[in-house]
Amino acid sequence: MNITIIAGARPNFMKIAPIIEAITNKKAEGFDINYRLVHTGQHYDKNLSGTFFEELDIPLPDANLEVKSGTQAEQTAAIMIGFEKELENNPCNLVMVVGDVNSTMACTIVAKKAGINVAHVEAGIRSGDMDMPEEINRIVTDSLTDYFFTTSKYANENLANLGVPKSKIFFCGNVMIDTLLKNKPRLEKPAIWNSLGLEKQKYMVMTLHRPSNVDEENQLKGLINQIVTLGKDYPIIFPVHPRTKKLLEGLNLNFDNLHYVEPLGYLNFNYLVKNAFAMLTDSGGITEETTVMNVPCITLRDSTERPETCKIGTNVLVGSDTDKIADAFKTLLSGNWKQGQIPELWDGKAAQRITNCLVDIYKL
Ligand code: UD1
């Protein structure tokens, strides 16, 4: 059996790493299971892509479509054109996509039109916010998917409500957490740890890259101003995504406790998060990691596609509402943040379960 695995953007790489490892192990056990890794090139900077391959021991891609950046339509179209040729030249039995980035949706459409089955890892999650390109990617991908590998009971419920037959839904757990648990002992202090004199639990980490937060000048200014003021007693480390950097460059927002750094690799970033007093973010994936590491997380979004991180995890949604942000800081600074629990099957074995399912489905 030949599986083509798709990865395109930073949040995909930590998801494919354990899947590739599990497939390689199954093959070593004698099963007829092979993969071909296709990188669409949606992310191409070393610090958004190459570093993750090196640190997480991901084999080099068999093909790179090198699509790079563009508008939503330009990027999606470029991936589709590139992947159609790739599939023509390298036919497979199954295309496996992960997450919710443009590469996920674009390759799903191409695969189905070529008559190839699609497996979606992290299927079924929904924020309900149609202003997010990722929500559209999730809906389109899941409307075409054949095998839905899910991370939570909420995802299972969403899919069941959409009429997806139970026989197509495989609740296997969270591959992003497989990678986190495997690499926890290898996390590394970043260089800024010493240069800024950081101490455990005495700093915060912030990431912002959602268009709703970073594409409009006043919105971004207001948010950063409020956060550095409320967190004035803590250094705030801010690894800046290229999208955010574009707008920040003209703004001259300088504060003593705000430290801009380049995007960090996986081992450095998660070392910082693991030891932080709190995380401030508009990412979805990071809220899963903070839940598992029991780090307080304030999410600067109005909705989440990962409700378990709020319901049983350490995450709280505040959006861009200044009152909610102030309330969250009050709770945080008073030392009364909630204790989290770890969601079901976020145990480091999701990729093994997924591969076992494939062996059953394809009777290998
Ligand atoms: C993408 C994903 C988002 C994910 C995020 C993580 C979609 C719709 N969005 O958003 O879900 O959370 O990745 O990073 O797929 N750029 C570079 N170097 C690169 C890549 C991008 O400088 O290697 C710049 C480009 O100028 C581009 C901008 O960053 O215009 C945004 O990149 P893009 O891939 O369009 O979306 P992200 O915001 O990264």
Side-chain angles (χ1 to χ4, degrees):
M1 180 201 187
N2 294 319
I3 306 170
T4 292
I5 300 175
I6 306 298
R10 182 170 61 180
N12 291 163
F13 306 135
M14 58 293 272
K15 293 173 192 167
I16 59 159
I19 297 174
I20 287 176
E21 190 185 339
I23 291 177
T24 306
N25 290 342
K26 273 276 172 251
K27 190 174 164 61
E29 286 170 32
F31 290 94
D32 171 25
I33 186 164
N34 305 286
Y35 76 89
R36 178 175 168 82
L37 177 58
V38 175
H39 191 322
T40 64
Q42 178 176 343
H43 281 177
Y44 44 90
D45 283 359
K46 182 158 173 43
N47 59 14
L48 293 190
S49 176
T51 303
F52 289 78
F53 280 75
E54 286 163 20
E55 290 188 342
L56 301 177
D57 285 329
I58 305 170
L60 285 180
D62 298 288
N64 192 320
L65 308 180
E66 295 186 0
V67 300
K68 304 216 163 157
S69 305
T71 63
Q72 290 289 319
E74 284 165 351
Q75 192 175 62
T76 304
I79 298 167
M80 289 180 69
I81 293 167
F83 188 52
E84 188 173 54
K85 290 201 184 84
E86 153 65 30
L87 263 190
E88 254 169 46
N89 294 334
N90 301 285
C92 64
N93 309 100
L94 179 73
V95 169
M96 178 176 272
V97 295
V98 299
D100 55 17
V101 301
N102 287 344
S103 303
T104 312
M105 175 185 75
C107 293
T108 298
I109 297 172
V110 171
K112 284 308 286 178
K113 291 209 168 189
I116 298 171
N117 281 348
V118 172
H120 183 201
V121 174
E122 205 185 88
I125 63 174
R126 294 289 186 276
S127 67
D129 178 357
M130 291 297 279
D131 288 335
M132 290 175 66
E134 292 81 1
E135 184 72 354
I136 297 168
N137 294 341
R138 291 178 198 120
I139 290 171
V140 174
T141 301
D142 284 344
S143 70
L144 298 173
T145 290
D146 298 279
Y147 305 114
F148 301 80
F149 293 105
T150 59
T151 50
S152 76
K153 61 176 188 176
Y154 300 105
N156 301 339
E157 281 164 19
N158 290 337
L159 292 171
N161 291 339
L162 288 167
V164 175
K166 274 211 169 110
S167 59
K168 299 273 182 193
I169 303 171
F170 303 88
F171 178 29
C172 288
N174 192 327
V175 286
M176 203 165 174
I177 301 307
D178 288 6
T179 295
L180 182 65
L181 296 179
K182 178 176 174 196
N183 289 285
K184 234 173 147 188
R186 298 177 58 223
L187 300 181
E188 280 168 12
K189 263 184 201 172
I192 47 152
W193 187 273
N194 289 335
S195 60
L196 295 177
L198 298 180
E199 290 176 59
K200 289 186 177 181
Q201 267 79 54
K202 292 194 178 158
Y203 63 91
M204 302 185 195
V205 183
M206 176 161 79
T207 73
L208 293 172
H209 74 283
R210 294 276 158 221
S212 60
N213 280 330
V214 305
D215 282 1
E216 205 271 312
E217 190 174 313
N218 285 333
Q219 167 67 18
L220 184 61
K221 256 190 190 166
L223 201 56
I224 292 182
N225 257 309
Q226 192 187 9
I227 286 169
V228 293
T229 308
L230 291 167
K232 65 180 176 2
D233 296 329
Y234 290 82
I236 300 176
I237 318 303
F238 184 8
V240 184
H241 186 281
R243 175 181 209 113
T244 316
K245 193 172 177 185
K246 277 188 201 156
L247 185 62
L248 273 175
E249 263 161 1
L251 293 185
N252 247 333
L253 283 174
N254 296 312
F255 302 90
D256 286 347
N257 63 329
L258 183 63
H259 304 281
Y260 297 105
V261 297
E262 289 292 312
L264 294 165
Y266 186 85
L267 301 175
N268 282 168
F269 182 73
N270 281 295
Y271 184 93
L272 268 193
V273 175
K274 175 172 170 267
N275 293 298
F277 177 58
M279 180 79 213
L280 310 156
T281 190
D282 59 8
S283 156
I286 291 174
T287 67
E288 297 182 341
E289 293 166 337
T290 48
T291 282
V292 169
M293 293 192 277
N294 202 22
V295 173
C297 182
I298 299 177
T299 292
L300 303 152
R301 281 175 51 193
D302 294 311
S303 61
T304 178
E305 58 289 335
R306 295 161 162 97
E308 62 280 9
T309 63
C310 296
K311 289 191 175 145
I312 69 163
T314 55
N315 187 23
V316 166
L317 291 187
V318 295
S320 51
D321 180 324
T322 50
D323 290 339
K324 285 191 188 164
I325 296 174
D327 281 350
F329 265 86
K330 211 168 144 191
T331 310
L332 182 68
L333 297 174
S334 67
N336 291 320
W337 202 262
K338 58 183 174 174
Q339 286 289 313
Q341 284 167 21
I342 296 181
E344 194 181 346
L345 299 187
W346 291 18
D347 59 358
K349 295 182 184 144
Q352 281 173 38
R353 290 190 196 98
I354 290 172
T355 317
N356 287 339
C357 289
L358 292 176
V359 166
D360 286 348
I361 294 167
Y362 283 87
K363 304 192 177 17
L364 301 180

